[in-house]
Amino acid sequence: MTILYAVLILAGLGIVLGLGLAIASKIFHVEVDTRVEDITAILPNANCGACGYPGCAGYAEAIVSEVAENLNQCKPGIKAGKAQEIRKYL
């Protein structure tokens, strides 16, 4: 009988906390600029840091926010000619 109470208490806690997490995810949802995701997909995703940013996602954010000096900072991307594709999203 005590095992049944323990299982019911844990199940109840799981349901309550799960609902709390679901509600919190809706309340604290952060909108992401889709251009960052699109540019990250275009970049070679080497995450080498040769551009001066901490990976391709950081460089994509800098491009969208117009902080990056130019579109040719990505060394692997220059070889693949990615700058022309990125210009479409600006």
Side-chain angles (χ1 to χ4, degrees), residues 3-86:
I3 293 176
L4 180 63
Y5 290 138
V7 169
L8 291 175
I9 289 172
L10 285 176
L13 279 173
I15 291 171
V16 169
L17 293 176
L19 287 173
L21 285 174
I23 292 169
S25 71
K26 297 293 182 188
I27 292 173
F28 297 114
H29 176 71
V30 177
E31 290 292 326
V32 178
D33 192 352
T34 58
R35 295 181 300 169
V36 174
E37 294 173 357
D38 294 338
I39 292 173
T40 302
I42 292 172
L43 292 171
N45 291 316
N47 292 325
C48 59
C51 58
Y53 294 94
C56 293
Y59 182 48
E61 288 178 22
I63 290 172
V64 170
S65 64
E66 298 177 359
V67 175
E69 296 171 12
N70 58 36
L71 300 178
N72 293 327
Q73 288 178 254
C74 179
K75 304 290 189 258
I78 291 172
K79 294 177 185 174
K82 300 291 184 177
Q84 289 76 21
E85 293 180 48
I86 293 172

